[in-house]
Structures are given as C-alpha cells and as structure tokens.
Amino acid sequence: MIFTKMHGLGNDYVCINCFRERVEDPSGFARTLCDRHYGIGADGLILICPSKVSDFKMEIYNSDGSVAGMCGNGIRCLGKYVYDYRLTGKETLSIETKSGIRNMHLHIQDGKACGAMVDMGVPRLNAHSIPILSEKDLVINDPIEVQKKNYRMTGISMGNPHAVIFLEEINGISLEETGRELEFHPRFPERANIEFCHVTARDRMEIRVWERGVGETLACGTGACAAVVASVLNDLTDEEVIVKLLGGELSVRWDRKVNHVFLEGPAVKVFDGVL
C-alpha cells in the first residue's frame, strides 16, 4: 500500500488514495499508522475516496481511531494531493465530508498546489447542534469548571464541536491536564475540541489547541475558525483575523452577510512511502 505523509502547519496526516487502495478497518488502521513510536506518526488518517455528489470524498480518522467530521488542515492536504498526483486538473474543488460538502480554491505555484482557500461553511451556534449541554440556546462566555478552576467558554461547531476559552496568557497552561479534562467534561456529550486563545489585536490572535481524539496539535483549521467566530461573538476582534498557532499562521474570515467562514493556509507534502 502506498501512502503520502502531508501536513498543514505541522498538523500532519497519513493520506491514502482509495481510488487504488482498499482500507478494511480504517479506525484500527489509523491507530496503528498514527502511532509516533511504532507507526508512521500523525495526528490523523485521511482516506481520499470517490464521491457521487462532489469531486472527491474525504474520510478522516483521528489518531485514536475516532471519526472526525471535518478538518480544515486536512482538507487542504487532500486538495494538494489530488492536484499534484493528477487525480484532477481543476483548481476549484468540491469535497464531500461527514459534515457536508465543502468548496475550496487551490493556490498553484510552479505547477503544484501549495495551499488553498476553503469555504468552511456555516458555524453552528445552537447548543443542541454543537452539542453542548445547556439551558440556553447559545453558549457565549459561559462558565465551566475543571480542576477547581473556573473558565468561560463559547461553544461553536465547525462540523465538529469546539469550546473556545479566552485568556490573558496561554503559554503557561498544561494542555495535557486541562485540555484532556475539558475534552471529556460531562457538558460535551460527544467530547469537544478545546481552544485557549489570547487576542493581541482586533485582527490577530494566538491560540493553542487540544484536539479531540488527538491531544495538543501544532495547528487546527476548524479550531482557528471556531476561535474567530467566538472572538467576534464576544466583540474581541473584527471578522477577519490572522490566527497564530504553534505551527504557523492561518487567515480566517467570518463573512456574516452569507454566514460562512473562510479559511486560508498552506499544505505541504512530507514524503511518500510504502507499507
């Protein structure tokens, strides 16, 4: 089986072309391949599949084998793969995901895709649809407690659940402890991705991400989108923001006229391999 290792700002994936390969047990396969000591090592597994409703279908599995509904960095890697390996000559693509169809426009340089602008769709704010257990319809600046510490979160779904927390300082937090406990907090029936954010200007912020089923990652595309939506809802930033993550920067814009979030960033091939 041939695979390709790719990443978006260090958020790395093993990509399998399912037009020619067959994966029998993708959850177990993801756990094996993504192990950083006994496998290839990655945050997740991406299966690039045929689709009856769009150009391609993306199936994505976290490193613990759980299914991810959507991935902003992963979908850019898929776009680079299908263009560079000549599965398509189109620069504008529609991709079927578990969270719906997403459209993206590839950035081409020297005949290869180097990144993309992705329409990440409509941010879901209703607590039930995220899901977050709440008596209120919207979870904005809502208190939550872990380890006897009180935080305030804003809940958003970008195809997967996010809880965004704004702090004055994010580098001193132990995400291994706090992030894990928040991920499994009883208020999140399907667990949640957790973003710790520090706003530095109306158009810039820094975030650290604890990704559901993975742990702390160098970048998270849906997390960056959720953070910007949350910052606008809390009147901390404007609608277009540069988001600085551990692995680099993403550009996020929430166009409130059409109520869609747009994400722009790079995609990089690391290497090809054979299993």
Side-chain angles (χ1 to χ4, degrees):
M1 179 179 288
I2 298 171
F3 70 89
T4 300
K5 176 77 177 285
M6 307 185 81
H7 78 85
L9 297 185
N11 192 196
D12 55 345
Y13 297 93
V14 177
C15 299
I16 305 289
N17 178 356
C18 290
F19 285 80
R20 67 185 182 195
E21 309 286 1
R22 184 170 179 175
V23 178
E24 298 287 350
D25 175 20
S27 291
F29 202 51
R31 290 192 296 271
T32 300
L33 294 188
C34 295
D35 189 289
R36 295 193 182 275
H37 298 286
Y38 298 103
I40 297 165
D43 290 327
L45 168 68
I46 292 176
L47 303 183
I48 303 167
C49 307
S51 172
K52 295 180 180 179
V53 296
S54 61
D55 294 315
F56 299 94
K57 179 180 180 181
M58 178 176 75
E59 294 184 8
I60 185 161
Y61 296 83
N62 296 317
S63 59
D64 69 348
S66 60
V67 177
M70 177 54 187
C71 177
N73 291 319
I75 198 170
R76 297 197 313 276
C77 291
L78 181 148
K80 176 175 174 59
Y81 184 100
V82 298
Y83 188 87
D84 289 2
Y85 287 88
R86 302 297 183 258
L87 274 66
T88 183
K90 297 167 63 175
E91 297 182 13
T92 298
L93 302 170
S94 64
I95 309 298
E96 179 187 355
T97 76
K98 189 172 182 291
S99 298
I101 294 175
R102 299 291 185 264
N103 297 310
M104 67 175 160
H105 180 74
L106 299 174
H107 301 322
I108 308 300
Q109 189 174 55
D110 297 327
K112 293 185 179 294
C114 58
M117 168 76 80
V118 184
D119 181 346
M120 298 289 286
V122 177
R124 297 204 299 268
L125 306 179
N126 179 271
H128 177 74
S129 67
I130 294 172
I132 295 176
L133 300 182
S134 176
E135 296 179 355
K136 298 178 288 187
D137 289 337
L138 302 180
V139 179
I140 299 176
N141 200 32
D142 208 45
I144 188 169
E145 180 181 337
V146 291
Q147 300 174 329
K148 298 182 180 180
K149 291 184 179 181
N150 294 311
Y151 298 94
R152 288 194 169 270
M153 67 169 175
T154 297
I156 289 142
S157 173
M158 291 301 310
N160 46 14
H162 292 268
V164 182
I165 296 171
F166 294 97
L167 300 171
E168 288 299 317
E169 204 280 322
I170 60 174
N171 293 320
I173 294 177
S174 172
L175 261 65
E176 185 66 35
E177 297 176 3
T178 307
R180 186 180 300 278
E181 288 207 26
L182 282 167
E183 176 190 350
F184 289 93
H185 195 281
R187 290 192 65 185
F188 306 128
E190 297 179 9
R191 299 187 289 164
N193 300 274
I194 312 298
E195 284 76 42
F196 294 94
C197 309
H198 172 54
V199 174
T200 57
R202 293 290 298 184
D203 62 349
R204 295 192 71 88
M205 72 166 68
E206 300 174 350
I207 73 172
R208 292 177 65 191
V209 181
W210 179 266
E211 194 164 343
R212 178 182 63 166
V214 181
E216 184 171 13
T217 55
L218 294 179
C220 177
T222 58
C225 293
V228 171
V229 172
S231 68
V232 173
L233 292 174
N234 287 278
D235 193 25
L236 298 173
T237 69
D238 299 327
E239 296 176 6
E240 189 165 354
V241 181
I242 298 298
V243 181
K244 182 180 179 182
L245 303 108
L246 294 179
E249 294 184 343
L250 293 169
S251 176
V252 179
R253 176 171 58 91
W254 182 17
D255 187 336
R256 301 185 77 176
K257 292 181 180 178
V258 297
N259 195 26
H260 278 228
V261 180
F262 297 88
L263 170 70
E264 188 171 12
V268 177
K269 171 186 167 181
V270 185
F271 60 85
D272 292 315
V274 179
L275 294 168

